[in-house]
C-alpha cells in the first residue's frame, strides 16, 4: 500500500507516477475528495472541541462565583457539543475506512528509471545471453514432444480436473522433481534459507502481498474454510512476518518450492495448448526482507540468482525491464528473465524479480527497529524459477533429431 499521508501531501506529483502505470483518474479523484472531506471533518471537530473546552472553563468559573443557573445553561450546550462531536467522529471514521479501502486498490508507485509504456511491447531489453540453438530439422513444440514421448498427458489432466491441467509421467515427472531440488540447492548456495510452507492461506495474507482485493476473482477459494490456494510462495513467505517488528541485523533471505494455483490462466485467450499457462504449476520462489538502503543491492543479487540458473542449464535468455503498463500491482520495479522457445521463435517469461519497496510491508505491517523508531522494511520477490516453463524450455532447446531430449550435465546428479 502506498503511503496515503504522502499522497495527500504531494498529490499532484504522485498522481503523475500512478497515471503512468494506468491508474484511473476516477479513483484518484475519489481519493482526493476523501482527503478533503477528512480535513473538513477534522477542522470541524477541532473547532467544536475548542468551543467545548472554552465553555467547560466558563462553567467552572460560573459555579465558583455561585452563578449556578448560568452554569447549568452552559452545561446543556456542552452536552449538545459532545453529541455533535461524536456524530462527526463517526463520520470521520467512515471516511478513513473508505480511504483505506480505496488505498488498497492503488498499485505501487513505479521507480523513476522504469520505462513508461502501455504494455509488454514497450519493455526495455537489458541483455541477451546465449544464442538460440540451430536445428537441422523443424523443431517440435513441447506439447508435441511430450505426447510422443509419453511424458505429458493433457487429456487425462482434463479428465481429472479441467482444461489447463496436465499429468506428467515417467521421465517428465522425474525431471520436474530434479529441477525443484536443483533450484533449491542453488538458492541455498546464495544464502537463502529453505522453507516448507502451507499451500493454503488466509485473506489477511493475500491483502498483505497485494493480491486482494483487486485480484480476488483470480484466486481459487476454499469457501467453506475461508482459505485460498496460494498463487505463489511469495504470499506465505512475506506474511511469515506480518504484524511483526523485526531485529533486522542483516537481510532475511528465503526460498521455497510450492505448487501455485491461478484461476486467471484461462483468461488470456492464448497458450491454449501445452504447459505455458496452467491453472496449477510448480515454482521455486526467492524472497528477501531488507532495510530500505539495502534493497537495490538485494534486487541485483536476486536477478543474478535466477539468471545463473539459466546459465547453468545452458538455456538462451534475455533480461527485460518491465515498463509502467506491464508492472505487477505491488511492484515498484521488475526485471523479467525470458527464455528462448524454438517452437514459438520467441522469448517467454520464466522468471520475474520485483522490488516492492515498502508497499507490501505497509499493507502487512512489517517493520524493523532503528534508533530513531520503527520503520517499514522493503520486500522483494522472484521466481527462481518457474519449474514447468523450465521443463518446457529444456524439452524444446535440447530436442534431438530422433525425438529424444538431451539432459544438461548439471541435472544428472538429480536424476
Amino acid at each position: 500500500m502506498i503511503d496515503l499521508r504522502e499522497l495527500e501531501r504531494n498529490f499532484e506529483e504522485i498522481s503523475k507516477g500512478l497515471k503512468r502505470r494506468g491508474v484511473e483518474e476516477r479513483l484518484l479523484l475519489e481519493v482526493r475528495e476523501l482527503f478533503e472531506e477528512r480535513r473538513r471533518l477534522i477542522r470541524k471537530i477541532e473547532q467544536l472541541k475548542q468551543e467545548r473546552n472554552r465553555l467547560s472553563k466558563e462553567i467552572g468559573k460560573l459555579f465558583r462565583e455561585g452563578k449556578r443557573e448560568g452554569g447549568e445553561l452552559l452545561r446543556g450546550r456542552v452536552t449538545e457539543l459532545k453529541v455533535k462531536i461524536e456524530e462527526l467522529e463517526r463520520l470521520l471514521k467512515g471516511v478513513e475506512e473508505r480511504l483505506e479501502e480505496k488505498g488498497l486498490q492503488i498499485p505501487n508507485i513505479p521507480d523513476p528509471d522504469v520505462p513508461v509504456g502501455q504494455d509488454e511491447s514497450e519493455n526495455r531489453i537489458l541483455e541477451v545471453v546465449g544464442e538460440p540453438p540451430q536445428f537441422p530439422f523443424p523443431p517440435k513444440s513441447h506439447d508435441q514432444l511430450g505426447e510422443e514421448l509419453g511424458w505429458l498427458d493433457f487429456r487425462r489432466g482434463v479428465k481429472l480436473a479441467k482444461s489447463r491441467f496436465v499429468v506428467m509421467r515417467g521421465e517428465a515427472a522425474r525431471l520436474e522433481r530434479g529441477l525443484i531440488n536443483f533450484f533449491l540447492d542453488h538458492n541455498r548456495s546464495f544464502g537463502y534459507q529453505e522453507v516448507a510452507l502451507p499451500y493454503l492461506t488466509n485473506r489477511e495474507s493475500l491483502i498483505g502481498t497485494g493480491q486482494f482485493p483487486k485480484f480476488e476473482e483470480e484466486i481459487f477459494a476454499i469457501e467453506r474454510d475461508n482459505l485460498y490456494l496460494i498463487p505463489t510462495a511469495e504470499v506465505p513467505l512475506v506474511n511469515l512476518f506480518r504484524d511483526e517488528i523485526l531485529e533486522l541485523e542483516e537481510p532475511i533471505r528465503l526460498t521455497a518450492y510450492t505448487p501455485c494455483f491461478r484461476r486467471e490462466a484461462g483468461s488470456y485467450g492464448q497458450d491454449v495448448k501445452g504447459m505455458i499457462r496452467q491453472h496449477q504449476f510448480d515454482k521455486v520462489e526467492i524472497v528477501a526482507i531488507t532495510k530500505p538502503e539495502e534493497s537495490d543491492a538485494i534486487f541485483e543479487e536476486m536477478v543474478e540468482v535466477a539468471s545463473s540458473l539459466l546459465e547453468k542449464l545452458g538455456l538462451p535468455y534475455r533480461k527485460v525491464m518491465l515498463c509502467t503498463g506491464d508492472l505487477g500491482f505491488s511492484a515498484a520495479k521488475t526485471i523479467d528473465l525470458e527464455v528462448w522457445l524454438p517452437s514459438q521463435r520467441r522469448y517467454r517469461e520464466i522468471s520475474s524479480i520485483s522490488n516492492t519497496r515498502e508497499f507490501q510491508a505497509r499493507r502487512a505491517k512489517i517493520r524493523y527497529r532503528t534508533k530513531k523508531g520503527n520503520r517499514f522494511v522493503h520486500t522483494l520477490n522472484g521466481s527462481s524459477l518457474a519449474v514447468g516453463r523450465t521443463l518446457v524450455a529444456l524439452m524444446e532447446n535440447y530436442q534431438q533429431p530422433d525425438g529424444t531430449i538431451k539432459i544438461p550435465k548439471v541435472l544428472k546428479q538429480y536424476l
Side-chain angles (χ1 to χ4, degrees):
M1 188 173 186
I2 67 171
D3 186 342
L4 291 178
R5 289 175 299 180
E6 187 63 26
L7 175 61
E8 185 173 16
R9 282 193 294 266
N10 300 295
F11 188 85
E12 294 303 327
E13 187 63 29
I14 294 175
S15 291
K16 290 178 184 177
L18 292 172
K19 288 176 183 177
R20 289 206 318 269
R21 61 168 304 167
V23 176
E24 293 183 8
E25 188 167 3
R26 174 190 56 79
L27 175 58
L28 295 172
L29 290 175
E30 288 174 357
V31 170
R32 184 163 66 180
E33 288 172 1
L34 288 168
F35 284 148
E36 292 171 354
E37 178 66 5
R38 182 171 66 178
R39 288 195 296 269
R40 185 188 71 79
L41 288 169
I42 290 172
R43 284 196 302 269
K44 187 63 176 176
I45 289 169
E46 288 176 348
Q47 289 170 0
L48 294 179
K49 284 183 175 179
Q50 289 174 0
E51 176 69 7
R52 182 191 62 187
N53 294 339
R54 185 187 67 78
L55 290 177
S56 295
K57 291 178 181 178
E58 184 68 22
I59 290 169
K61 179 182 178 183
L62 289 172
F63 274 107
R64 286 193 300 274
E65 294 174 351
K67 300 176 181 179
R68 189 174 186 82
E69 184 176 347
E72 292 293 347
L73 285 173
L74 290 182
R75 183 176 284 176
R77 173 59 181 157
V78 167
T79 300
E80 291 176 3
L81 288 173
K82 179 183 177 183
V83 171
K84 183 63 175 175
I85 289 168
E86 289 174 350
E87 178 186 345
L88 291 175
E89 286 177 339
R90 283 194 297 272
L91 290 174
L92 177 61
K93 182 180 178 182
V95 168
E96 289 175 338
E97 287 174 350
R98 292 204 302 277
L99 260 176
E100 181 79 9
E101 178 186 333
K102 296 296 181 184
L104 290 173
Q105 299 174 32
I106 298 174
N108 205 348
I109 303 166
D111 280 2
D113 61 337
V114 172
V116 177
Q118 298 298 314
D119 54 43
E120 63 181 23
S121 66
E122 297 178 271
N123 292 341
R124 182 188 300 158
I125 298 171
L126 302 177
E127 184 181 7
V128 178
V129 181
E131 293 289 334
Q134 300 298 315
F135 296 98
F137 56 88
K140 296 177 181 178
S141 64
H142 71 278
D143 51 298
Q144 184 180 356
L145 287 164
E147 290 179 343
E148 290 176 358
L149 292 167
W151 285 19
L152 306 178
D153 191 336
F154 296 100
R155 181 175 63 84
R156 288 186 173 89
V158 172
K159 181 168 72 171
L160 294 176
K162 62 177 184 177
S163 62
R164 309 273 182 162
F165 288 88
V166 64
V167 174
M168 284 180 280
R169 305 174 72 161
E171 295 304 307
R174 291 183 63 213
L175 186 54
E176 177 98 344
R177 177 161 51 90
L179 284 169
I180 291 167
N181 288 329
F182 170 52
F183 294 168
L184 289 171
D185 287 349
H186 172 86
N187 296 343
R188 285 175 55 243
S189 73
F190 278 84
Y192 287 76
Q193 181 186 48
E194 185 175 345
V195 184
L197 298 160
Y199 302 157
L200 295 173
T201 194
N202 53 35
R203 184 177 189 85
E204 291 77 16
S205 294
L206 289 159
I207 290 173
T209 43
Q211 281 78 17
F212 279 10
K214 185 173 178 61
F215 303 105
E216 188 162 351
E217 294 301 314
E218 299 178 1
I219 306 298
F220 284 102
I222 313 297
E223 294 180 356
R224 179 176 176 179
D225 300 294
N226 288 325
L227 291 170
Y228 303 85
L229 292 169
I230 60 170
T232 167
E234 167 200 343
V235 176
L237 284 175
V238 170
N239 281 279
L240 285 172
F241 307 100
R242 191 175 75 244
D243 298 320
E244 292 188 22
I245 300 173
L246 307 175
E247 302 290 347
L248 201 58
E249 298 300 325
E250 60 182 37
I252 298 171
R253 296 175 173 87
L254 305 171
T255 186
Y257 152 72
T258 65
C260 305
F261 306 89
R262 297 185 187 177
R263 187 191 301 274
E264 52 84 23
S267 66
Y268 284 78
Q270 60 178 330
D271 300 318
V272 175
K273 294 184 66 178
M275 290 176 55
I276 294 296
R277 205 178 294 278
Q278 297 270 287
H279 287 303
Q280 176 185 320
F281 57 96
D282 289 336
K283 184 154 67 80
V284 172
E285 188 81 359
I286 48 176
V287 157
I289 312 290
T290 80
K291 297 176 182 177
E293 61 268 24
E294 298 170 333
S295 70
D296 286 328
I298 295 295
F299 180 70
E300 296 300 323
E301 173 195 286
M302 293 173 75
V303 173
E304 173 59 24
V305 170
S307 299
S308 56
L309 277 172
L310 292 169
E311 290 171 24
K312 286 183 177 181
L313 292 169
L315 291 171
Y317 71 98
R318 67 183 186 183
K319 297 178 184 178
V320 178
M321 184 183 291
L322 300 193
C323 70
T324 52
D326 204 26
L327 276 179
F329 183 80
S330 297
K333 183 177 184 177
T334 296
I335 288 180
D336 273 5
L337 305 181
E338 298 178 344
V339 70
W340 176 258
L341 292 187
S343 70
Q344 299 186 15
R345 298 196 59 77
R346 59 181 290 206
Y347 291 94
R348 299 300 303 268
E349 177 198 338
I350 197 169
S351 174
S352 193
I353 301 99
S354 297
N355 192 339
T356 76
R357 304 295 179 188
E358 65 179 39
F359 186 84
Q360 291 180 332
R362 189 175 291 278
R363 295 168 75 104
K365 298 179 177 62
I366 308 171
R367 293 168 291 172
Y368 71 102
R369 300 185 199 279
T370 76
K371 293 180 180 179
K372 296 182 179 180
N374 299 329
R375 294 186 63 188
F376 287 110
V377 302
H378 279 197
T379 65
L380 302 93
N381 64 82
S383 312
S384 181
L385 299 165
V387 184
R389 291 197 178 193
T390 306
L391 178 62
V392 166
L394 289 173
M395 291 174 68
E396 294 203 5
N397 283 278
Y398 282 99
Q399 60 183 292
Q400 304 299 302
D402 61 359
T404 59
I405 311 296
K406 182 180 178 181
I407 303 300
K409 288 182 179 179
V410 72
L411 293 177
K412 293 295 178 66
Q413 62 176 309
Y414 294 97
L415 298 173

